[in-house]
Amino acid sequence: MSARPLPGPPAARRTIVMGVLNVTPDSFSDGGRYLHADAAIARGLALAECGADIVDVGGESTRPGAERVAPQEELRRVLPVVTALAGEGVPVSIDTMRAATAHAAVAAGACLINDVSGALADPRMARVAADTGVDFVATHWRAPSSRMDDRDHYDDVVADVAAELAARVDALVRAGVRRDSIVLDPGLGFAKVTDSNWPLLSRMQEWSAGHRVLIGASRKRFLGAVISRAGNPEPGPKHRAHATTAVTTLAAAAGAWGVRVHDACAARDAIAVVSAWQNAAKATR
Ligand code: PMM
């Protein structure tokens, strides 16, 4: 019997939706909800059903202050979930800073490696990205979560992030990664004070250097700060849903390749609105 073909990365006719699936006890928004494989698999299928083009499976929280999880535990959490979802035909990405986890997940069917450290945390990651040949998300990152809040100073946040991401691209390409397989992500909330995130969103073209862009704003602290500043109640991550959808809309309109979100249905609908708006604008030209 021939092996079932593994699902590939989604085609990008419009901004794609990456659904967040944290198989962790302590992620800032959904920690503990999908720690058991059955619950995680059901959640992954539900995300795909309501519009996620790819489901991003992670087994280690990267919330500010988080400590690293043991490699074996990370693998134990993610592997059955990646295997089951890929087996169901759902495109899956693996959210990990560890080369061994990325390698095992791709062997189990993941079609994209999402490394929030941009291959800085594990010196073997670039080689795994090159050898597997799958798409690779390189996120702007400066230090592990337990220390990232000490590294949030920038002379000029857009120029500094652009230079640091360009250095990651160079290192990846030197290791054999195809330039066009690299997606860049500004790392919203990673070593960034609230006001550092907005210029990175509004000036995407200045740091992306022609690469595809992934935006991970979903439910993050800087959205809570904006809601509070506007004088509205902000009781926590789940109440940042509307602000998240606003970022999705603006990011899609600005040409982002993908958005990484907890609420796939809202993102799918927002992106459909952007496409309808842009198609109508093209038709009248
Ligand atoms: N943020 C988180 C985890 N993984 N991956 C990418 N590419 N970009 C991000 O901004 C990002 C990420 C943080 O938290 P969550 O998984 O709890 O949303």
Side-chain angles (χ1 to χ4, degrees), residues 18 20-22 24 26-31 56 58 60-64 95-96 112-117 137-140 148 183-190 214-220 260-262:
M18 176 184 276
V20 177
L21 179 51
N22 288 317
T24 61
D26 56 343
S27 290
F28 80 97
S29 176
D30 56 354
D56 190 39
E60 175 170 51
S61 171
T62 49
R63 76 186 150 73
D95 184 351
T96 184
L112 182 152
I113 299 169
N114 174 27
D115 180 353
V116 296
S117 82
V137 176
T139 297
H140 178 261
M148 70 179 170
V183 177
L184 295 183
D185 180 320
L188 302 174
F190 289 94
L214 179 67
I215 294 296
S218 192
R219 301 182 182 174
K220 285 190 176 169
R260 181 181 179 278
V261 292
H262 298 86

Side-chain angles (χ1 to χ4, degrees), residues 10-285:
R13 293 175 310 280
R14 51 158 172 77
T15 299
I16 66 131
V17 177
M18 176 184 276
V20 177
L21 179 51
N22 288 317
V23 191
T24 61
D26 56 343
S27 290
F28 80 97
S29 176
D30 56 354
R33 289 188 67 184
Y34 311 114
L35 192 52
H36 296 289
D38 289 350
I41 294 162
R43 175 65 181 163
L45 293 172
L47 282 165
E49 180 72 19
C50 70
D53 298 291
I54 188 163
V55 173
D56 190 39
V57 179
E60 175 170 51
S61 171
T62 49
R63 76 186 150 73
E67 293 297 335
R68 301 290 317 260
V69 68
Q72 281 312 316
E73 174 60 12
E74 184 190 26
L75 211 48
R76 190 194 66 75
R77 291 177 186 173
V78 297
L79 216 49
V81 181
V82 171
T83 306
L85 292 176
E88 290 292 329
V90 175
V92 174
S93 54
I94 179 69
D95 184 351
T96 184
M97 293 187 276
R98 286 200 177 92
T101 306
H103 190 270
V106 173
C111 59
L112 182 152
I113 299 169
N114 174 27
D115 180 353
V116 296
S117 82
L120 269 175
D122 185 337
R124 292 160 304 174
M125 183 62 97
R127 175 117 301 273
V128 168
D131 289 349
T132 57
V134 297
D135 277 358
F136 185 83
V137 176
T139 297
H140 178 261
W141 182 91
R142 284 182 159 179
S145 301
S146 57
R147 288 185 279 121
M148 70 179 170
D149 285 348
D150 305 332
R151 299 287 313 280
D152 58 7
H153 174 77
Y154 299 86
D155 291 327
D156 172 333
V157 70
V158 175
D160 294 355
V161 167
E164 289 168 37
L165 281 176
R168 299 318 306 146
V169 170
D170 286 349
L172 287 160
V173 169
R174 272 199 310 277
V177 178
R178 277 193 350 268
R179 196 173 282 276
D180 66 1
S181 71
I182 302 172
V183 177
L184 295 183
D185 180 320
L188 302 174
F190 289 94
K192 317 257 174 354
V193 294
T194 294
D195 290 335
S196 292
N197 297 287
W198 294 108
L200 291 167
L201 281 167
S202 64
R203 293 162 58 194
M204 226 182 268
Q205 272 68 25
E206 291 178 48
W207 53 262
S208 56
H211 285 271
R212 290 174 288 165
V213 166
L214 179 67
I215 294 296
S218 192
R219 301 182 182 174
K220 285 190 176 169
R221 279 183 299 180
F222 76 102
L223 297 180
V226 151
I227 295 169
S228 301
R229 263 185 226 166
N232 304 322
E234 204 291 294
K238 292 206 175 68
H239 295 83
R240 300 168 192 161
H242 302 307
T244 299
T245 305
V247 173
T248 293
T249 308
L250 291 163
W257 169 77
V259 288
R260 181 181 179 278
V261 292
H262 298 86
D263 184 349
C265 302
R268 173 201 59 191
D269 294 352
I271 291 163
V273 167
V274 171
S275 297
W277 182 300
Q278 291 181 334
N279 290 340
K282 273 186 222 144
T284 53
R285 258 184 233 137

